[in-house]
């Protein structure tokens, strides 16, 4: 019988460990302007030695020169072994309180408090789909058991407002009688918004027509009996099967188009984000290209003169001095990281401007294939640095606002030897389809032939792939009948 116990085993492994300062530097490089502002403001709160320059204050470069001499000697004495920073933290709080008292022009009155309360109470929060439906369920005249079933059904809806789970499964899971759940399901369909609680798109659209009193209309008949033909837009077939004209079918399709395919969508939280370009490229009055970095949302920082004077007096004990020197170095590192970020973005933008000059002059049709490795070599940094620097960032051009990654794209070589970006080809495909005859739309093979006439040779499956990425329907679904 073998004995069991613990053993010491020596093992050699390799791993990459990023220093905290390096991680912070990469975080600053990768963050877009709005996120960077939030991070800087957080650091301002945590580091009492940092302060934000006013709009008309001196530049970061100028103030760095002024503090370098004062800090040179301090840096040589830096020691990270301090254990208790409570003394200096209390000093920081006392100084901030004194500063606010000395610089406040007027006291905080009851009228100010009233205005603040009015402002805070005026803030509104959007109601969720579940909350909206629960309020209706609570006002519904039904039994307690049916109301419980309603609440269970409401909790089972997906983001579109569909009830994808079967009534029988819900009855088994909730341990509520099937008949009660079935009745509650029909009640839920009468709630606002119209079409809520239906099982799928077809049921949703039919229910909306029924609630409008249009349950026997041609639109409802098409939805009930010929839904697959409708999805494929086989208008002649629908006309023949319903015994109506193509004009009548077109009118019915227009009516169907007014319905809401996802009734729960308007209750979804607003996920729209504000896009603030980090760089603007424009031509000046001398017709020369200019690069302007967005510094509006990036606070301009410096080391506080008040704390520098405290350090220079030599009245602090070792504990306080250690803390201030550590915070000073942290603040200087943040300032340097922000400057490095801006310089890196500007250099990358300059290389993109030089490489994609035809795009900036003429538009998307002149976009050339470009890799991050090409820019990295020209800038003199690693490819991953370029990837971090352009992540989640946008550039404003004369042709619109584009993500930086838009300019990095594979491509093809045309018959005349020129490199053509795949985004340029997508733009050409989109333009070809916009100009087509709706009654005779181009097939993917026709598009291949048209591109070949422009000396661009690509496969039909590539055209189909790009068409799908553009959200363009296939030929049979684009066909329209007059």
């Amino acid at each position: 019988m073998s004995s069991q116990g613990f053993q010491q085993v020596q093992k050699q492994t390799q791993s990459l460990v990023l220093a905290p300062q390096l991680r912070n530097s990469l975080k600053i490089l990768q963050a877009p302007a709005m996120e960077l502002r939030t991070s800087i403001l957080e650091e301002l709160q945590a580091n009492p030695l940092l302060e934000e320059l006013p709009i008309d204050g001196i530049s970061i470069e100028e103030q760095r020169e002024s503090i370098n001499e004062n800090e040179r000697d301090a840096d040589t004495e830096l020691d990270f072994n301090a254990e208790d920073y409570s003394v200096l933290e209390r000093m920081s709080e006392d100084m901030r309180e004194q500063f606010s008292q000395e610089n406040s022009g007027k006291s905080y009155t009851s009228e100010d408090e009233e205005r603040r309360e009015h402002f805070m109470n005026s803030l509104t929060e959007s109601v969720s789909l579940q909350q909206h439906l629960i309020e209706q369920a609570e006002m519904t005249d039904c039994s307690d058991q049916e109301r419980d079933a309603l609440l269970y059904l409401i909790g089972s809806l997906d983001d579109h407002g569909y009830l994808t789970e079967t009534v029988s499964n819900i009855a088994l899971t909730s341990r509520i009688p099937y008949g009660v759940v079935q009745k509650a399901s029909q009640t839920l369909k009468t709630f606002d918004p119209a079409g809520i609680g239906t099982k799928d798109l077809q049921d949703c659209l039919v229910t909306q027509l029924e609630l409008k009193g249009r349950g026997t209309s041609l639109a409802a008949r098409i939805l009930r009996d010929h839904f697959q033909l409708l999805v494929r837009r086989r208008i002649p077939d629908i006309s023949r099967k319903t015994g109506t004209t193509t004009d009548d079918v077109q009118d019915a399709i227009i009516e169907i188009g007014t319905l809401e395919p996802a009734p729960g969508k308007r209750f979804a939280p607003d996920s729209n984000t504000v896009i603030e370009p980090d760089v603007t490229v424009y031509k000046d009055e001398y017709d020369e290209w200019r690069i302007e970095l967005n510094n509006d949302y990036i606070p301009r920082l410096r080391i506080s003169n008040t704390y520098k004077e405290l350090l220079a007096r030599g009245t602090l004990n070792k504990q306080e001095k250690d803390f201030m020197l550590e915070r000073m170095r942290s603040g200087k590192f943040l300032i340097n990281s922000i400057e490095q970020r801006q310089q890196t973005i500007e250099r990358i933008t300059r290389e993109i401007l030089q490489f994609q000059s035809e795009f900036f002059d003429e538009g998307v049709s002149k976009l050339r294939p470009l890799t991050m490795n090409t820019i990295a070599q020209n800038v003199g940094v690693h490819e991953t640095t370029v990837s971090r620097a352009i992540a989640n960032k946008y550039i404003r051009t004369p042709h619109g606002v584009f993500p930086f990654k838009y300019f990095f794209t594979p491509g093809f070589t045309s018959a005349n030897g020129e490199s053509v970006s795949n985004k340029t080809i997508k733009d050409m495909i989109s333009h070809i389809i916009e100009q087509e005859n709706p009654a005779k739309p181009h097939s993917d093979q026709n598009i291949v032939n048209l591109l070949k006439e422009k000396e661009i040779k690509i496969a039909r499956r590539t055209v189909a792939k790009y068409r799908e990425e553009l959200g363009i329907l296939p030929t049979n679904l684009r066909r329209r009948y007059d």
Side-chain angles (χ1 to χ4, degrees):
M1 181 176 180
S2 61
S3 60
Q4 293 183 349
F6 294 103
Q7 284 186 322
Q8 282 189 334
V9 179
Q10 189 173 13
K11 185 178 181 182
Q12 183 177 6
T13 60
Q14 285 186 334
S15 62
L16 178 63
V17 179
L18 296 179
Q21 284 191 337
L22 180 56
R23 286 199 298 268
N24 290 336
S25 179
L26 294 175
K27 178 181 177 182
I28 290 171
L29 176 64
Q30 190 165 340
M34 299 294 285
E35 287 184 17
L36 179 59
R37 175 177 175 81
T38 301
S39 298
I40 294 174
L41 293 178
E42 290 176 357
E43 183 64 21
L44 274 170
Q45 293 292 324
N47 190 342
L49 271 71
L50 277 177
E51 65 181 17
E52 184 176 356
L53 284 166
I55 299 299
D56 56 350
I58 61 175
S59 67
I60 291 181
E61 292 80 2
E62 293 171 338
Q63 62 91 15
R64 282 185 63 204
E65 293 177 2
S66 68
I67 66 174
N68 278 342
E69 184 176 352
N70 293 336
E71 295 173 353
R72 191 175 296 113
D73 295 335
D75 285 342
T76 61
E77 302 174 4
L78 193 58
D79 186 357
F80 293 97
N81 294 325
E83 297 177 356
D84 185 7
Y85 298 147
S86 59
V87 176
L88 193 62
E89 289 174 355
R90 288 198 300 270
M91 183 194 305
S92 173
E93 294 174 2
D94 292 342
M95 290 187 65
R96 287 182 181 178
E97 182 178 354
Q98 180 181 357
F99 181 82
S100 63
Q101 291 174 355
E102 291 176 352
N103 293 275
S104 58
K106 59 181 180 179
S107 59
Y108 191 73
T109 64
S110 59
E111 288 79 7
D112 294 328
E113 177 64 24
E114 186 177 346
R115 281 195 294 268
R116 179 182 180 279
E117 288 297 321
H118 175 73
F119 174 78
M120 297 302 293
N121 292 335
S122 298
L123 297 177
T124 59
E125 183 177 350
S126 59
V127 178
S128 68
L129 174 63
Q130 285 73 22
Q131 289 173 323
H132 181 66
L133 296 173
I134 288 172
E135 289 175 359
Q136 297 177 69
E138 290 174 348
M139 294 186 293
T140 301
D141 185 14
C142 61
S143 65
D144 292 341
Q145 196 175 43
E146 186 178 343
R147 187 172 286 104
D148 290 341
L150 274 171
L151 297 178
Y152 207 99
L153 291 168
I154 291 170
S156 303
L157 298 176
D158 65 11
D159 292 339
H160 295 292
Y162 295 158
L163 184 65
T164 55
E165 190 64 71
T166 63
V167 171
S168 59
N169 285 345
I170 291 177
L172 288 172
T173 305
S174 63
R175 297 183 179 179
I176 299 174
Y178 175 84
V180 176
V181 178
Q182 179 67 31
K183 184 178 180 181
S185 174
Q186 296 302 316
T187 302
L188 179 60
K189 288 185 178 182
T190 65
F191 284 8
D192 177 75
I196 204 73
T198 49
K199 63 181 180 180
D200 52 28
L201 176 61
Q202 182 181 11
D203 186 24
C204 176
L205 299 178
V206 171
T207 299
Q208 290 181 56
L209 288 175
E210 290 174 346
L211 292 173
K212 289 183 176 182
R214 299 279 297 166
T216 59
S217 64
L218 176 59
R221 287 167 52 200
I222 293 173
L223 286 169
R224 287 195 192 95
D225 304 329
H226 312 291
F227 185 71
Q228 293 303 319
L229 291 177
L230 173 65
V231 171
R232 296 162 61 190
R233 293 195 69 87
R234 305 297 290 269
I235 294 178
D237 294 342
I238 296 174
S239 173
R240 184 175 64 257
K241 288 181 177 296
T242 57
T244 58
T245 65
T246 56
D247 288 340
D248 291 335
V249 174
Q250 288 280 21
D251 291 340
I253 291 176
I254 292 174
E255 182 180 3
I256 293 171
T258 63
L259 305 176
E260 175 55 64
K265 184 176 63 176
R266 67 182 175 96
F267 291 90
D270 186 4
S271 59
N272 291 335
T273 56
V274 176
I275 294 177
E276 187 63 36
D278 286 76
V279 182
T280 298
V281 176
Y282 65 97
K283 275 191 174 181
D284 60 15
E285 61 272 22
Y286 304 105
D287 204 34
E288 296 288 336
W289 286 109
R290 298 293 179 189
I291 297 173
E292 182 178 314
L293 295 178
N294 182 0
N295 294 310
D296 295 343
Y297 296 93
I298 302 178
R300 305 165 69 203
L301 306 176
R302 71 178 176 191
I303 304 298
S304 171
N305 289 326
T306 303
Y307 285 98
K308 286 196 297 180
E309 291 171 2
L310 276 175
L311 189 60
R313 289 174 190 169
T315 58
L316 303 176
N317 60 38
K318 184 179 184 301
Q319 205 171 343
E320 296 167 346
K321 184 179 180 181
D322 289 342
F323 175 76
M324 291 189 70
L325 290 175
E326 190 274 332
R327 292 287 85 192
M328 187 177 290
R329 171 168 287 184
S330 176
K332 287 176 60 181
F333 178 79
L334 176 63
I335 293 172
N336 291 335
S337 296
I338 294 172
E339 290 181 351
Q340 185 65 37
R341 171 193 186 273
Q342 298 299 82
Q343 291 172 7
T344 303
I345 293 175
E346 182 178 7
R347 291 165 64 191
I348 291 174
T349 304
R350 199 168 299 280
E351 291 297 328
I352 292 175
L353 175 59
Q354 181 177 351
F355 192 89
Q356 302 285 13
S357 58
E358 292 183 358
F359 164 85
F360 287 92
D361 285 325
E362 302 183 40
V364 178
S365 62
K366 296 297 182 179
L367 194 66
R368 297 171 57 195
L370 178 63
T371 64
M372 292 185 190
N373 186 49
T374 300
I375 296 298
Q377 290 179 356
N378 292 342
V379 174
V381 297
H382 196 271
E383 186 175 354
T384 57
T385 302
V386 175
S387 177
R388 290 179 183 274
I390 67 174
N392 304 313
K393 297 181 183 66
Y394 292 79
I395 177 172
R396 179 182 283 116
T397 75
H399 309 291
V401 176
F402 298 88
F404 265 89
K405 288 187 177 180
Y406 183 85
F407 299 94
F408 297 90
T409 173
F412 299 85
T413 301
S414 62
N416 56 14
E418 293 183 358
S419 296
V420 183
S421 165
N422 63 353
K423 289 187 174 68
T424 298
I425 296 175
K426 288 181 182 179
D427 184 67
M428 296 171 70
I429 293 173
S430 178
H431 183 71
I432 289 172
I433 292 176
E434 286 176 0
Q435 302 297 321
E436 70 184 4
N437 182 355
K440 296 181 179 180
H442 291 297
S443 66
D444 292 342
Q445 186 58 49
N446 286 342
I447 296 174
V448 169
N449 297 335
L450 291 172
L451 291 174
K452 190 174 182 181
E453 292 176 3
K454 299 180 181 182
E455 300 186 336
I456 297 175
K457 185 178 180 181
I458 61 175
R460 186 196 60 79
R461 62 178 179 275
T462 305
V463 170
K465 174 186 173 184
Y466 288 171
R467 175 179 52 72
E468 291 174 0
E469 291 177 356
L470 290 168
I472 298 175
L473 297 171
T475 308
N476 62 319
L477 297 183
R478 298 200 311 273
R479 185 174 288 109
R480 298 289 186 272
Y481 297 90
D482 296 331

